[in-house]
Amino acid sequence: MKKIFQVLVIAMMAAGSIADPVRVLIVDGFSNHDWKHTTGLLRDVLVSSGGFTVEVSTFGGADWNPEFDRYDVVIQNCNDIKGGEAWPRPVQEALENYVRNGGGLYVFHSANNAFPEWPEYNRMIGLGWRNKDFGRAITLDDDGAVHEIPAGGGGNTGHGKRADTRVTRIGEHPIHAGLPKQWMAADIEVYRYARGPAENLTVLSFARDEKTGLNFPVEWTVGYGKGRVYTSTFGHVWADQENPEGMRCAGHRTLIPRVVEWLAGREITDEVPADFPTGDSISLREIEATE
């Protein structure tokens, strides 16, 4: 019986019935956020979901040279806004080529703040934590209609206090397949006036900023060459947050594997869980570390 099962599995793999795991590389090494804890939490979400292999490459100076091409998706978890070295130019070029040639890039939370002096990074992320003269910003009507604010208009990128916030999705993007139109995301930051080139950019969801009363993007994607880039403001992990609610949020934990699958060009396999948050209340899970 065991031999028959093994033969059946081999035949299914040959026929494509069992997909190879999505190969993920998390890149970290410096941030004003708790990058070590963030990397561990991200790894645990993906490993516990099944269907992913996760490796980590930590910045190590001028000789650091991650092999992006070995992976389906790269998760960027570096932020130099409060210090941290620029990546070596060969590594920058390697990431540019990786995405341009069809790779998937997940810009995780504070990584959106990084590298304002790197022109192609700004194009890959579309919108980032930048001063008001840097580039365009985006606001949205309640029905999802997009409005551009030119450089110099509005203000610098900023956010209010983290809070449980109602998120509204736009359209029917595969990442959001089956999800409710609105849900309460736990302990998130709404970035007002994130700025950048905003080229080939699609806003997936938005939330209201209490200070301005305006709606700003929470999730967005960018097409860069043949590749895909996803950014969101979900997932804040500060040094004093042992069990960060933003990473316990059932909504966010549902999105993470879906995002990675979409970036890898795979079919979304994660079902909508029974504990997905509603439009009126958050839903938190216990964090259990994987081996």
Side-chain angles (χ1 to χ4, degrees):
M1 181 64 71
K2 182 177 181 182
K3 185 175 182 180
I4 294 174
F5 176 75
Q6 289 173 334
V7 170
L8 179 60
V9 170
I10 292 171
M12 292 175 67
M13 291 179 68
S17 299
I18 298 178
D20 292 332
V22 179
R23 298 162 299 174
V24 179
L25 177 68
I26 302 176
V27 179
D28 63 17
F30 51 85
S31 179
N32 61 327
H33 292 59
D34 190 339
W35 57 268
K36 292 182 180 179
H37 195 19
T38 300
T39 290
L41 292 168
L42 274 169
R43 176 190 172 278
D44 290 345
V45 171
L46 291 172
V47 171
S48 63
S49 296
F52 304 92
T53 63
V54 183
E55 297 181 22
V56 179
S57 180
T58 299
F59 177 82
D63 296 330
W64 179 62
N65 187 29
E67 299 180 70
F68 299 123
D69 289 341
R70 292 179 52 208
Y71 304 91
D72 300 305
V73 175
V74 172
I75 301 180
Q76 207 295 79
N77 185 31
C78 291
N79 175 15
D80 65 342
I81 197 169
K82 293 290 186 179
E85 301 179 42
W87 286 3
R89 183 57 190 149
V91 176
Q92 294 181 347
E93 291 176 342
L95 184 66
E96 294 167 14
N97 290 330
Y98 165 78
V99 180
R100 189 180 291 120
N101 292 327
L105 178 63
Y106 193 156
V107 181
F108 196 82
H109 190 67
S110 70
N112 167 266
N113 305 171
F115 309 136
E117 305 303 323
W118 179 0
E120 293 306 309
Y121 190 77
N122 290 314
R123 292 188 175 93
M124 284 189 280
I125 67 173
L127 301 169
W129 186 280
R130 307 291 187 248
N131 292 329
K132 68 178 182 179
D133 295 328
F134 186 87
R136 291 175 285 179
I138 287 176
T139 63
L140 301 103
D141 294 338
D142 289 344
D143 62 3
V146 173
H147 301 278
E148 290 190 356
I149 298 174
N156 298 330
T157 308
H159 63 72
K161 293 182 178 180
R162 296 192 310 274
D164 300 339
T165 303
R166 182 175 291 106
V167 172
T168 301
R169 68 176 176 90
I170 303 171
E172 299 295 334
H173 195 277
I175 292 173
H176 290 161
L179 302 187
K181 179 71 173 179
Q182 295 182 316
W183 68 89
M184 290 295 291
D187 197 42
I188 72 166
E189 295 169 336
V190 178
Y191 282 13
R192 52 180 174 263
Y193 302 115
R195 295 184 178 274
E199 299 166 352
N200 303 314
L201 184 144
T202 301
V203 180
L204 303 190
S205 66
F206 64 86
R208 188 175 302 279
D209 168 59
E210 288 190 356
K211 180 178 179 179
T212 62
L214 299 173
N215 296 323
F216 291 101
V218 171
E219 301 170 272
W220 61 93
T221 65
V222 172
Y224 184 82
K226 298 178 182 178
R228 296 171 169 181
V229 184
Y230 169 93
T231 300
S232 82
T233 60
F234 298 128
H236 185 281
V237 181
W238 211 239
D240 61 353
Q241 292 182 286
E242 182 178 353
N243 294 299
E245 291 191 354
M247 292 298 291
R248 293 177 57 204
C249 175
H252 187 209
R253 292 178 75 89
T254 299
L255 285 170
I256 290 170
R258 285 168 165 247
V259 168
V260 174
E261 287 180 322
W262 179 78
L263 288 171
R266 304 289 184 90
E267 182 180 354
I268 305 297
T269 60
D270 196 30
E271 297 182 356
V272 180
D275 67 345
F276 195 87
T278 68
D280 298 313
S281 61
I282 65 170
S283 175
L284 300 179
R285 296 179 184 170
E286 295 300 318
I287 295 177
E288 295 182 4
T290 59
E291 295 297 330

